[in-house]
Amino acid sequence: MENSRQNLLRLLAYKSFRLGEFKLSSGGTSDYYIDCRTTTLDAKGARLTGEVFFDEIRQRRWKSQAIGGLTMGADPIVVAVSVVSGELNGFLVRKAEKQHGTGQRIEGFRGKGARVVIVDDVCTTGASTVQAIEAAREFGFEIVGVICLVEREEAKGRPNVEKAAAPAPFVSVFTASDVRAEHISQMDDTQPSIMAVSVCEVCGRVAVTGNRCEAHRV
C-alpha cells in the first residue's frame, strides 16, 4: 500500500497544491492553498484515496461499521473508502438539519450505536471535523477514530480535533509540509520528468510516456 500512499502524495502535490496569496475559510491568510477535492474527485485520485484511508483503518485495527464526515470536503473520501473497502458503509453530515422531509442531519448509514470513523479532507482550525464529530455523537454513533487527508499544522487544528475526538485518536495521512515539499520537488528544474507527466492510467504511478508508467508503457 506504500505505492498508493506515495502516488496519492504526488497527485495531491500536482493537482491540489498552489503557492501564492490566499484567504482561507477560517478568515486567515496563507502563502499556499490546498484544494483536496481536485484530487479526491479525480478518477485515479479517488481510488488512491480509498486505498490509503482503508489501509489506515485496517492498520490501526479500528473495528468500524461506517465512515462519514461533514459535507462536502468529506463526501468524495467517504464514497471512495466505501467502494474500495467493499464493507464500510458511508454517511454524510449536513452542516445543518434540513428544513423539510425528515429533517435529519445524518444522511446514508444510520445505525444507532455503530462504531464509526470520521474523515475530512483538510484540517486547519479543525472546525468542520469537530462539527462532524459532535453531530455523529449526538446521533448515537460511537467514534473509534478520526482521519484527515492533509493537516495544515496551524490554527490549533490538531488540539481542537483531539479534544473533540477523545478518547478516539486523530491521525493525518499527510501534513501540509509533506505536500509542499513534494510540490516543490515537482517544480524543480532538475526533475523535469515529474513535471512533464501526470499519472499512469493503469496503476496510478507517475507516467513517463503519455499516460503510462515505465511498467505499463507499450
Short mmCIF file of all heavy atoms in Angstrom, two decimals, residues 5 12 36 52-53 56 62 77 117-124 126 128-129 145-153 157-158 161 169-176:
data_model
loop_
_atom_site.label_atom_id
_atom_site.label_comp_id
_atom_site.label_asym_id
_atom_site.label_seq_id
_atom_site.Cartn_x
_atom_site.Cartn_y
_atom_site.Cartn_z
N ARG A 5 0.15 5.25 -1.22
CA ARG A 5 0.38 6.44 -0.40
C ARG A 5 1.31 7.43 -1.11
O ARG A 5 1.04 8.63 -1.16
CB ARG A 5 1.00 6.01 0.94
CG ARG A 5 1.11 7.15 1.95
CD ARG A 5 1.79 6.66 3.22
NE ARG A 5 1.86 7.71 4.21
CZ ARG A 5 0.96 7.93 5.15
NH1 ARG A 5 -0.11 7.16 5.22
NH2 ARG A 5 1.10 8.91 6.01
N LEU A 12 -1.64 14.81 -5.04
CA LEU A 12 -2.04 15.98 -4.25
C LEU A 12 -1.12 17.17 -4.54
O LEU A 12 -1.60 18.29 -4.73
CB LEU A 12 -1.97 15.66 -2.76
CG LEU A 12 -3.16 14.94 -2.13
CD1 LEU A 12 -2.79 14.41 -0.75
CD2 LEU A 12 -4.37 15.85 -2.04
N CYS A 36 -8.13 19.79 -1.86
CA CYS A 36 -8.04 18.33 -1.97
C CYS A 36 -9.07 17.74 -2.92
O CYS A 36 -8.87 16.64 -3.44
CB CYS A 36 -8.19 17.70 -0.59
SG CYS A 36 -6.76 17.92 0.48
N VAL A 52 -5.73 4.28 0.52
CA VAL A 52 -4.90 4.78 1.62
C VAL A 52 -5.70 4.90 2.92
O VAL A 52 -5.23 4.49 4.00
CB VAL A 52 -4.27 6.14 1.25
CG1 VAL A 52 -3.61 6.78 2.46
CG2 VAL A 52 -3.25 5.96 0.13
N PHE A 53 -6.91 5.43 2.86
CA PHE A 53 -7.72 5.57 4.06
C PHE A 53 -8.12 4.20 4.63
O PHE A 53 -8.06 3.98 5.84
CB PHE A 53 -8.98 6.39 3.77
CG PHE A 53 -8.80 7.87 3.97
CD1 PHE A 53 -8.07 8.62 3.07
CD2 PHE A 53 -9.36 8.52 5.07
CE1 PHE A 53 -7.90 9.99 3.24
CE2 PHE A 53 -9.20 9.89 5.26
CZ PHE A 53 -8.46 10.63 4.34
N GLU A 56 -5.24 2.64 6.33
CA GLU A 56 -5.00 3.29 7.63
C GLU A 56 -5.93 2.70 8.69
O GLU A 56 -5.50 2.41 9.81
CB GLU A 56 -5.25 4.79 7.50
CG GLU A 56 -4.73 5.64 8.64
CD GLU A 56 -3.23 5.86 8.60
OE1 GLU A 56 -2.68 6.20 7.54
OE2 GLU A 56 -2.61 5.68 9.68
N TRP A 62 -9.05 -0.43 13.74
CA TRP A 62 -10.29 0.21 14.16
C TRP A 62 -11.46 -0.62 13.64
O TRP A 62 -11.76 -0.59 12.45
CB TRP A 62 -10.37 1.63 13.62
CG TRP A 62 -9.40 2.57 14.23
CD1 TRP A 62 -8.70 2.41 15.39
CD2 TRP A 62 -9.01 3.85 13.71
NE1 TRP A 62 -7.90 3.50 15.63
CE2 TRP A 62 -8.07 4.39 14.62
CE3 TRP A 62 -9.36 4.58 12.57
CZ2 TRP A 62 -7.47 5.63 14.41
CZ3 TRP A 62 -8.78 5.82 12.37
CH2 TRP A 62 -7.84 6.35 13.29
N ILE A 77 -14.26 11.36 -0.10
CA ILE A 77 -13.47 10.42 0.68
C ILE A 77 -14.36 9.28 1.17
O ILE A 77 -14.00 8.10 1.09
CB ILE A 77 -12.81 11.13 1.88
CG1 ILE A 77 -11.85 12.21 1.39
CG2 ILE A 77 -12.07 10.12 2.76
CD1 ILE A 77 -11.25 13.05 2.50
N VAL A 117 -15.81 5.83 11.86
CA VAL A 117 -14.62 6.66 11.69
C VAL A 117 -15.04 7.96 11.02
O VAL A 117 -15.76 7.95 10.02
CB VAL A 117 -13.56 5.94 10.85
CG1 VAL A 117 -12.37 6.87 10.55
CG2 VAL A 117 -13.08 4.68 11.54
N ILE A 118 -14.59 9.09 11.56
CA ILE A 118 -14.86 10.39 10.97
C ILE A 118 -13.70 10.78 10.06
O ILE A 118 -12.54 10.64 10.44
CB ILE A 118 -15.04 11.48 12.06
CG1 ILE A 118 -16.23 11.14 12.98
CG2 ILE A 118 -15.22 12.86 11.43
CD1 ILE A 118 -17.57 11.12 12.28
N VAL A 119 -14.01 11.26 8.85
CA VAL A 119 -12.96 11.66 7.91
C VAL A 119 -13.18 13.09 7.43
O VAL A 119 -14.29 13.61 7.47
CB VAL A 119 -12.90 10.70 6.69
CG1 VAL A 119 -12.57 9.29 7.13
CG2 VAL A 119 -14.23 10.71 5.92
N ASP A 120 -12.08 13.72 6.99
CA ASP A 120 -12.14 15.07 6.44
C ASP A 120 -10.99 15.22 5.46
O ASP A 120 -10.05 14.42 5.47
CB ASP A 120 -12.04 16.11 7.56
CG ASP A 120 -12.78 17.40 7.23
OD1 ASP A 120 -13.05 17.64 6.03
OD2 ASP A 120 -13.07 18.18 8.15
N ASP A 121 -11.09 16.25 4.60
CA ASP A 121 -10.01 16.42 3.63
C ASP A 121 -8.88 17.27 4.18
O ASP A 121 -7.72 16.86 4.19
CB ASP A 121 -10.52 16.94 2.28
CG ASP A 121 -11.26 18.26 2.37
OD1 ASP A 121 -11.48 18.78 3.49
OD2 ASP A 121 -11.63 18.80 1.30
N VAL A 122 -9.17 18.48 4.65
CA VAL A 122 -8.13 19.37 5.18
C VAL A 122 -8.50 19.80 6.59
O VAL A 122 -9.65 20.15 6.86
CB VAL A 122 -7.97 20.62 4.29
CG1 VAL A 122 -6.93 21.57 4.88
CG2 VAL A 122 -7.56 20.23 2.87
N CYS A 123 -7.52 19.80 7.48
CA CYS A 123 -7.73 20.27 8.84
C CYS A 123 -6.88 21.52 9.06
O CYS A 123 -5.65 21.46 9.04
CB CYS A 123 -7.34 19.19 9.84
SG CYS A 123 -7.43 19.73 11.56
N THR A 124 -7.55 22.66 9.25
CA THR A 124 -6.85 23.92 9.57
C THR A 124 -7.18 24.25 11.03
O THR A 124 -6.39 23.98 11.92
CB THR A 124 -7.29 25.06 8.63
OG1 THR A 124 -7.07 24.66 7.27
CG2 THR A 124 -6.48 26.32 8.91
N GLY A 126 -9.81 22.85 12.31
CA GLY A 126 -10.48 21.63 12.73
C GLY A 126 -11.98 21.79 12.90
O GLY A 126 -12.67 20.84 13.31
N SER A 128 -14.62 21.96 10.85
CA SER A 128 -15.53 21.06 10.13
C SER A 128 -15.45 19.65 10.69
O SER A 128 -16.46 18.93 10.78
CB SER A 128 -15.22 21.06 8.64
OG SER A 128 -13.91 20.59 8.38
N THR A 129 -14.25 19.23 11.08
CA THR A 129 -14.08 17.89 11.65
C THR A 129 -14.79 17.81 13.00
O THR A 129 -15.45 16.82 13.30
CB THR A 129 -12.59 17.57 11.83
OG1 THR A 129 -11.88 17.92 10.64
CG2 THR A 129 -12.39 16.08 12.10
N GLY A 145 -12.22 6.51 15.63
CA GLY A 145 -11.05 7.15 15.06
C GLY A 145 -11.44 8.30 14.16
O GLY A 145 -12.58 8.38 13.69
N VAL A 146 -10.49 9.21 13.95
CA VAL A 146 -10.70 10.37 13.08
C VAL A 146 -9.47 10.50 12.17
O VAL A 146 -8.34 10.44 12.65
CB VAL A 146 -10.87 11.67 13.90
CG1 VAL A 146 -11.06 12.86 12.98
CG2 VAL A 146 -12.04 11.54 14.87
N ILE A 147 -9.72 10.66 10.86
CA ILE A 147 -8.62 10.78 9.90
C ILE A 147 -8.87 11.97 8.99
O ILE A 147 -9.96 12.14 8.45
CB ILE A 147 -8.50 9.54 9.00
CG1 ILE A 147 -8.50 8.24 9.80
CG2 ILE A 147 -7.23 9.62 8.15
CD1 ILE A 147 -8.49 6.99 8.93
N CYS A 148 -7.83 12.79 8.80
CA CYS A 148 -7.91 13.83 7.78
C CYS A 148 -6.83 13.55 6.74
O CYS A 148 -5.80 12.96 7.05
CB CYS A 148 -7.78 15.23 8.36
SG CYS A 148 -6.11 15.75 8.75
N LEU A 149 -7.10 13.98 5.51
CA LEU A 149 -6.16 13.74 4.42
C LEU A 149 -4.92 14.62 4.58
O LEU A 149 -3.79 14.13 4.47
CB LEU A 149 -6.84 14.01 3.07
CG LEU A 149 -6.00 13.80 1.82
CD1 LEU A 149 -5.37 12.42 1.78
CD2 LEU A 149 -6.88 14.02 0.57
N VAL A 150 -5.11 15.93 4.81
CA VAL A 150 -3.99 16.85 4.96
C VAL A 150 -4.19 17.72 6.20
O VAL A 150 -5.20 18.42 6.32
CB VAL A 150 -3.82 17.76 3.73
CG1 VAL A 150 -2.65 18.73 3.95
CG2 VAL A 150 -3.59 16.93 2.47
N GLU A 151 -3.22 17.69 7.09
CA GLU A 151 -3.24 18.54 8.28
C GLU A 151 -2.36 19.76 8.03
O GLU A 151 -1.17 19.62 7.68
CB GLU A 151 -2.70 17.77 9.48
CG GLU A 151 -2.67 18.56 10.77
CD GLU A 151 -1.95 17.83 11.89
OE1 GLU A 151 -1.69 16.61 11.75
OE2 GLU A 151 -1.64 18.49 12.89
N ARG A 152 -2.92 20.95 8.18
CA ARG A 152 -2.17 22.17 7.89
C ARG A 152 -1.20 22.56 9.00
O ARG A 152 -0.39 23.47 8.83
CB ARG A 152 -3.13 23.33 7.61
CG ARG A 152 -3.86 23.21 6.26
CD ARG A 152 -4.68 24.47 5.98
NE ARG A 152 -3.85 25.66 5.92
CZ ARG A 152 -3.57 26.33 4.80
NH1 ARG A 152 -4.03 25.90 3.65
NH2 ARG A 152 -2.81 27.41 4.84
N GLU A 153 -1.26 21.92 10.14
CA GLU A 153 -0.31 22.16 11.23
C GLU A 153 -0.33 23.61 11.71
O GLU A 153 0.70 24.22 11.98
CB GLU A 153 1.12 21.80 10.80
CG GLU A 153 1.27 20.39 10.22
CD GLU A 153 2.61 20.21 9.55
OE1 GLU A 153 2.79 20.72 8.41
OE2 GLU A 153 3.49 19.56 10.14
N GLY A 157 -5.45 23.43 14.96
CA GLY A 157 -6.32 22.41 14.40
C GLY A 157 -6.22 21.07 15.09
O GLY A 157 -7.23 20.46 15.46
N ARG A 158 -4.98 20.58 15.29
CA ARG A 158 -4.81 19.27 15.92
C ARG A 158 -5.36 19.23 17.34
O ARG A 158 -6.15 18.33 17.66
CB ARG A 158 -3.34 18.84 15.87
CG ARG A 158 -3.05 17.57 16.68
CD ARG A 158 -1.73 16.95 16.36
NE ARG A 158 -1.80 16.24 15.08
CZ ARG A 158 -2.24 15.00 14.95
NH1 ARG A 158 -2.70 14.33 15.99
NH2 ARG A 158 -2.26 14.43 13.76
N VAL A 161 -9.20 19.18 17.34
CA VAL A 161 -9.81 17.91 16.93
C VAL A 161 -9.56 16.83 17.97
O VAL A 161 -10.45 16.05 18.30
CB VAL A 161 -9.27 17.47 15.55
CG1 VAL A 161 -9.80 16.09 15.19
CG2 VAL A 161 -9.65 18.48 14.48
N PRO A 169 -8.57 8.36 18.73
CA PRO A 169 -7.37 9.02 18.22
C PRO A 169 -7.63 9.79 16.92
O PRO A 169 -8.54 9.46 16.16
CB PRO A 169 -6.41 7.84 17.96
CG PRO A 169 -7.32 6.68 17.68
CD PRO A 169 -8.53 6.90 18.55
N PHE A 170 -6.82 10.81 16.71
CA PHE A 170 -6.87 11.61 15.48
C PHE A 170 -5.55 11.43 14.74
O PHE A 170 -4.48 11.63 15.33
CB PHE A 170 -7.10 13.08 15.81
CG PHE A 170 -6.86 14.02 14.65
CD1 PHE A 170 -7.55 13.87 13.46
CD2 PHE A 170 -5.93 15.05 14.76
CE1 PHE A 170 -7.33 14.73 12.39
CE2 PHE A 170 -5.71 15.93 13.70
CZ PHE A 170 -6.41 15.76 12.51
N VAL A 171 -5.63 11.07 13.47
CA VAL A 171 -4.42 10.90 12.66
C VAL A 171 -4.59 11.65 11.34
O VAL A 171 -5.70 11.85 10.86
CB VAL A 171 -4.11 9.42 12.37
CG1 VAL A 171 -3.91 8.65 13.67
CG2 VAL A 171 -5.22 8.78 11.54
N SER A 172 -3.47 12.08 10.78
CA SER A 172 -3.49 12.70 9.46
C SER A 172 -2.67 11.85 8.51
O SER A 172 -1.61 11.32 8.90
CB SER A 172 -2.94 14.12 9.52
OG SER A 172 -1.62 14.14 10.03
N VAL A 173 -3.15 11.71 7.28
CA VAL A 173 -2.41 10.94 6.28
C VAL A 173 -1.15 11.70 5.88
O VAL A 173 -0.06 11.14 5.84
CB VAL A 173 -3.29 10.67 5.04
CG1 VAL A 173 -2.49 9.91 3.98
CG2 VAL A 173 -4.54 9.88 5.43
N PHE A 174 -1.31 12.99 5.61
CA PHE A 174 -0.18 13.85 5.26
C PHE A 174 -0.27 15.16 6.02
O PHE A 174 -1.35 15.54 6.48
CB PHE A 174 -0.17 14.17 3.76
CG PHE A 174 -0.17 12.98 2.85
CD1 PHE A 174 -1.27 12.69 2.05
CD2 PHE A 174 0.94 12.13 2.81
CE1 PHE A 174 -1.27 11.58 1.21
CE2 PHE A 174 0.94 11.02 1.97
CZ PHE A 174 -0.16 10.74 1.18
N THR A 175 0.85 15.85 6.13
CA THR A 175 0.85 17.22 6.63
C THR A 175 1.02 18.14 5.43
O THR A 175 1.46 17.71 4.35
CB THR A 175 2.01 17.46 7.62
OG1 THR A 175 3.25 17.31 6.92
CG2 THR A 175 1.94 16.49 8.79
N ALA A 176 0.71 19.42 5.64
CA ALA A 176 0.89 20.39 4.57
C ALA A 176 2.37 20.47 4.18
O ALA A 176 2.70 20.70 3.01
CB ALA A 176 0.38 21.76 5.02
#
